[in-house]
Amino acid sequence: MRIDRIVLHRVRLPLVRPFRTSFGTETARDLVLVEAVGSDGRSGWGECVAMDWPGYSPEYTDGAIDVIERFLLPRLAGIDDATDPVEIRDRMAPVLGHPMARAAVETALLDLWLRHRDQSLADYLGAVADRVDCGVSVGIPTSESIADLLDEVAGYVAGGYRRIKLKIEPGWDLAPVAAVRGRWPTVPLQVDANQAFQRSDGPLLAGLDDFDLLLIEQPLPEDDLYGHVLLAEQVRTPICLDESILSVASTESALSLGAASIINIKPGRVGGYLTSKEIHDLCQERGAPVWCGGMLETGIGRAANLALAALPGFTLPGDTSASDRYYAQDLTEPFVLEDGRLPVPTGPGIGVDPIPEVLAGVTTWRRELALPR
Ligand code: OSB
Ligand code: MG
């Protein structure tokens, strides 16, 4: 069966509350969805997790759209719905960087391929669980008030989240962590700095050792693996890498050098679910725990992340939170937390679809593209 066309949907979805990190404040997700339409009229979906500006990583939504149109789709001439997803990944691989753009295209085509085979993404990847433990990522309050932070965390704890992650930055570091740990002495807790500290901050970050954290995520810049090695020698809390992990090779480097002992796997950041599984497999061989990161995904990206998080090496709760943590109205049927967990979709492919009226209501434009013959 032919792939009839690729449709790009530019979507703007307001967040229920601003999300402030060390790199900026997001008030909405301004994203692109990739839809691959088969000649039978069925569709596969991929959510591009690039943000609308290059603050988390070098990618951004308009850049991803440009790369998809100019460089990725032209490489897919002649594919059909029987083309193995591994071939699709390999055809796009010569385009360097832009993993989020490549992941979105790969996922849309993988989803369509799986739907035609009537197989779920979870089954294809080797999932072993039918629901996954969920954590929640808590931004820096725009008020910079610890009382406001405690109120927000209290809501998530009451909602049943199985792990709390606090965003930190220089100046918003030990005090908020001490306050949350003081109020919830046993809640699984971790922090994420999004690269905001420096090599000289070792003694400060060692102060976090008092709070029984699961991990410190990405304290130093993405390219500073050696800095993380030096830091790991100064702090007892395990170091986890997010932004630095771009491939199987960078994962192996980080683990072998001792820059990290825990890995955050984000499919967009590593170029898709196939590579995510390979990183998972390597970490399992090395005995390194992994967890599924998040990029404020809509239900489309979340569904696929839940399939990945159901693999056996995902032993820590992920940033796979319920729809209502992000959006008043998700693009899909909402994912609802049950006892701190979300269900792994069981339908073919990613197992969910956008609700057409909802998608139409938040779409700023759509563009239909043909694949080259
Ligand atoms: O560093 O993990 C991060 C969101 C956007 C960009 C980067 C990050 C995050 C989060 C939120 O921490 C995770 C989520 O709930 O989707
Ligand atoms: Mg992170």
Side-chain angles (χ1 to χ4, degrees):
M1 189 180 307
R2 282 181 300 113
I3 313 282
D4 207 51
R5 62 191 185 277
I6 300 289
V7 187
L8 302 182
H9 303 257
R10 182 67 186 260
V11 166
R12 189 181 159 83
L13 213 54
L15 289 164
V16 290
R17 68 177 64 80
F19 185 64
R20 176 173 162 193
T21 63
S22 62
F23 62 82
T25 304
E26 311 297 318
T27 56
R29 274 289 286 135
D30 185 0
L31 64 104
V32 63
L33 291 180
V34 179
E35 177 186 11
V37 186
S39 54
D40 63 348
R42 294 179 80 178
S43 290
W45 293 90
E47 175 171 344
C48 181
V49 301
M51 318 242 103
D52 62 353
W53 73 287
Y56 163 78
S57 85
E59 289 188 272
Y60 60 100
T61 304
D62 285 327
I65 291 167
D66 191 58
V67 167
I68 290 170
E69 288 190 40
R70 291 172 56 171
F71 302 112
L72 298 180
L73 298 185
R75 301 196 70 86
L76 299 178
I79 63 162
D80 59 28
D81 82 321
T83 308
D84 194 283
V86 175
E87 181 184 337
I88 289 172
R89 176 184 63 174
D90 293 348
R91 288 238 218 148
M92 294 191 287
V95 176
L96 298 184
H98 306 286
M100 296 172 182
R102 284 187 278 114
V105 174
E106 176 192 291
T107 306
L109 291 165
L110 171 60
D111 183 28
L112 185 62
W113 184 79
L114 288 167
R115 287 179 196 238
H116 284 151
R117 289 163 39 122
D118 204 24
Q119 184 181 19
S120 70
L121 178 61
D123 185 62
Y124 173 74
L125 293 174
V128 294
D130 56 11
R131 40 201 198 136
V132 302
D133 290 356
C134 296
V136 59
S137 175
V138 187
I140 300 166
T142 45
S143 61
E144 299 184 19
S145 145
I146 288 193
D148 288 350
L149 175 72
L150 293 175
D151 280 350
E152 188 177 345
V153 173
Y156 297 136
V157 170
Y161 282 102
R162 288 175 175 255
R163 176 274 276 156
I164 302 292
K165 159 169 144 182
L166 303 180
K167 291 291 190 178
I168 59 170
E169 67 181 5
W172 182 262
D173 40 51
L174 302 189
V177 178
V180 170
R181 178 49 88 214
R183 173 125 163 229
W184 292 279
T186 59
V187 75
L189 186 63
Q190 63 193 50
V191 295
D192 185 2
N194 290 107
Q195 321 185 55
F197 290 90
Q198 302 180 8
R199 285 188 183 186
S200 56
D201 287 323
L204 168 68
L205 293 170
L208 292 170
D209 286 342
D210 292 343
F211 305 119
D212 189 25
L213 303 181
L214 289 167
L215 57 88
I216 302 173
E217 182 178 348
Q218 197 72 44
L220 305 180
E222 155 184 335
D223 61 353
D224 193 12
L225 272 193
Y226 183 54
H228 286 96
V229 174
L230 296 175
L231 194 62
E233 289 165 356
Q234 298 171 69
V235 302
R236 272 184 290 112
T237 308
I239 305 291
C240 170
L241 290 176
D242 172 354
E243 286 91 326
S244 298
I245 300 298
L246 301 169
S247 62
V248 174
S250 53
T251 306
E252 183 162 29
S253 299
L255 294 175
S256 299
L257 295 170
S261 53
I262 299 175
I263 301 297
N264 166 330
I265 302 184
K266 280 184 188 169
R269 198 194 59 228
V270 304
Y273 289 87
L274 305 183
T275 301
S276 295
K277 179 179 169 53
E278 291 173 0
I279 291 174
H280 160 272
D281 294 350
L282 171 73
C283 289
Q284 265 210 313
E285 268 169 43
R286 296 298 189 90
V290 304
W291 55 281
C292 185
M295 291 291 289
L296 313 175
E297 285 90 346
T298 74
I300 295 295
R302 186 166 323 288
N305 283 352
L306 290 168
L308 179 69
L311 269 62
F314 284 78
T315 53
L316 292 169
D319 282 345
T320 48
S321 309
S323 294
D324 68 359
R325 182 260 170 268
Y326 309 96
Y327 305 110
Q329 169 75 69
D330 206 336
L331 291 183
T332 61
E333 292 299 327
F335 282 95
V336 179
L337 209 61
E338 224 180 276
D339 194 23
R341 300 189 174 100
L342 286 180
V344 178
T346 54
I350 63 170
V352 302
D353 289 284
I355 301 166
E357 313 81 69
V358 174
L359 179 59
V362 293
T363 298
T364 48
W365 56 254
R366 62 203 292 288
R367 195 173 295 161
E368 304 214 352
L369 305 163
L371 282 179
R373 302 267 134 222

